[in-house]
Amino acid sequence: PASFKWKIDTTVPDTALSAVSGQSSVASGQFLNKSEITFTFSCSDSSTTSNSSPRASHFALRTSHSSCTFECALDSSDFTSCSSPITHHSLLDGPHTFQVRAKDAADNVDTSPAKFTWTIDQTRPDTAVTAQSGSLPLKNGQLVNRMDIAFFLSCSDPSNSEPGTSNSTCTFECALQSAPTSSNNLSY
């Protein structure tokens, strides 16, 4: 008897970002200070297989699907063919969005692409230091006869603040330099 077999696959593949710039723990939404970023991604696919036999069984197999192809989009660009890993170079400061979607051998396309957002910020913040001894403000280089000096740090980072404000999120690394002495207990 003649027979005809076919495979029905209407299940869309699932796309996953497995690493960003070689790290599996970089969270979407972060600030990065580099203009280059690399994405590694993969797909998994569940498919149902059928044939003409009335006794044919239906089954689903979830596997890493080697027949997936990928389409990527950066920022507002259209999706274009790409492969994993992909590196984007010379990106400008500002917010960015990368999306990748898988397409399986039956031309089913992932309708919810894997997405990663980040902001590149390579602008160094301006830092200001003010000090006071007791309640008296100090000038830079001023000699004092007290050990209780308070330092106040502030920053201005136009690329990391709301438009029209000077609110910035900065962290500081501090070092205290002094002439060698035998009995000074310094803390900061």
Side-chain angles (χ1 to χ4, degrees), residues 73-150:
L74 179 64
D75 298 331
S76 60
S77 67
D78 292 333
F79 281 93
T80 59
S81 178
C82 62
S83 59
S84 180
I86 187 169
T87 301
H88 295 283
H89 302 276
S90 304
L91 297 171
L92 300 176
D93 277 14
H96 296 280
T97 301
F98 173 78
Q99 295 182 83
V100 58
R101 64 187 182 193
K103 183 175 168 182
D104 67 15
D107 285 336
N108 296 309
V109 177
D110 187 352
T111 57
S112 58
K115 182 178 178 180
F116 186 85
T117 61
W118 76 103
T119 300
I120 295 176
D121 179 6
Q122 298 183 95
T123 305
R124 295 177 186 257
D126 292 326
T127 304
V129 178
T130 56
Q132 70 182 45
S133 178
S135 62
L136 303 172
L138 298 176
K139 294 180 182 174
N140 191 14
Q142 179 179 344
L143 282 172
V144 294
N145 62 359
R146 299 174 59 136
M147 295 296 290
D148 61 339
I149 309 274

Side-chain angles (χ1 to χ4, degrees), residues 11-72:
T11 306
V12 297
D14 185 40
T15 314
L17 284 170
S18 52
V20 176
S21 290
Q23 300 176 24
S24 59
S25 62
V26 176
S28 189
Q30 290 186 336
F31 280 86
L32 303 175
N33 65 358
K34 295 180 180 157
S35 63
E36 180 178 293
I37 192 165
T38 300
F39 296 97
T40 306
F41 41 89
S42 61
C43 89
S44 59
D45 193 13
S46 297
S47 60
T48 302
T49 300
S50 300
N51 63 35
S52 61
S53 168
R55 291 181 234 150
S57 60
H58 297 276
F59 62 92
L61 174 66
R62 187 153 182 89
T63 182
S64 179
H65 212 281
S66 61
S67 63
C68 284
T69 59
F70 297 95
E71 297 175 329
C72 298

